[in-house]
Amino acid sequence: MNLSDMPSLLGRLYERLRTAGFTVTSEQSGGMGGLEVILSGSIAGSTGSVPAEVDMSSDRGHSVVTVRLGEMEHWIIPGVWASYLDSIPVDIDPERATEFLGNRLSDMADAYLADDDIESKLVAIGEQFMRARSAAYEF
């Protein structure tokens, strides 16, 4: 993959994940400059390791990063993980999302290993955020 095709904030996260042993498992690019890269690896927590996938997508100036751990079916944005871990509002800023992933992967692994119901809790946080966000745009 050519890193010059990737926005710089995703490029920094890509390099950090590759350095941590993640490998590219899927890569797609579109005709209008869209790019999606999925990396897979293992995250070491304090009580064990968890398989992880990180999906980085960018299209026409918009970037999104999502993550799933272990046996999770849903891809979760970093802002939802941060909300779960730190009891803060969901933040969807791409810069903070990539910074969060660069610094908190082990915390995510620990939470995943400690909470058998984490996926449903993360999904509920994301759904609540989206309901509130869409209500803000109702006329």
Side-chain angles (χ1 to χ4, degrees), residues 60-93:
R60 291 170 271 179
H62 297 282
S63 298
V64 177
V65 178
T66 55
V67 180
R68 64 181 175 189
L69 302 182
E71 300 297 320
M72 291 175 63
E73 294 180 19
H74 296 89
W75 292 91
I76 307 294
I77 63 170
V80 168
W81 279 99
S83 179
Y84 174 86
L85 292 172
D86 301 333
S87 300
I88 61 173
V90 173
D91 182 355
I92 59 171
D93 178 80

Side-chain angles (χ1 to χ4, degrees), residues 72-74 76 80 84 115-127:
M72 291 175 63
E73 294 180 19
H74 296 89
I76 307 294
V80 168
Y84 174 86
D115 187 347
D116 291 337
D117 197 32
I118 192 168
E119 184 172 14
S120 66
K121 292 174 183 175
L122 291 167
V123 168
I125 291 168
E127 287 175 345

Side-chain angles (χ1 to χ4, degrees), residues 13 65 78-79 91-102:
L13 178 60
V65 178
D91 182 355
I92 59 171
D93 178 80
E95 281 284 342
R96 286 190 289 274
T98 56
E99 181 180 328
F100 175 84
L101 286 178

Side-chain angles (χ1 to χ4, degrees), residues 8 17-18 20 28 30 37-39 41 43 66 74 78 91 93 112 117 119 124 136:
S8 63
L17 292 170
R18 295 282 291 148
Q28 298 179 9
V37 177
I38 299 175
L39 296 108
I43 302 171
T66 55
H74 296 89
D91 182 355
D93 178 80
Y112 177 84
D117 197 32
E119 184 172 14

Side-chain angles (χ1 to χ4, degrees), residues 34-48:
L35 176 68
E36 178 184 40
V37 177
I38 299 175
L39 296 108
S40 298
S42 182
I43 302 171
S46 60
T47 61

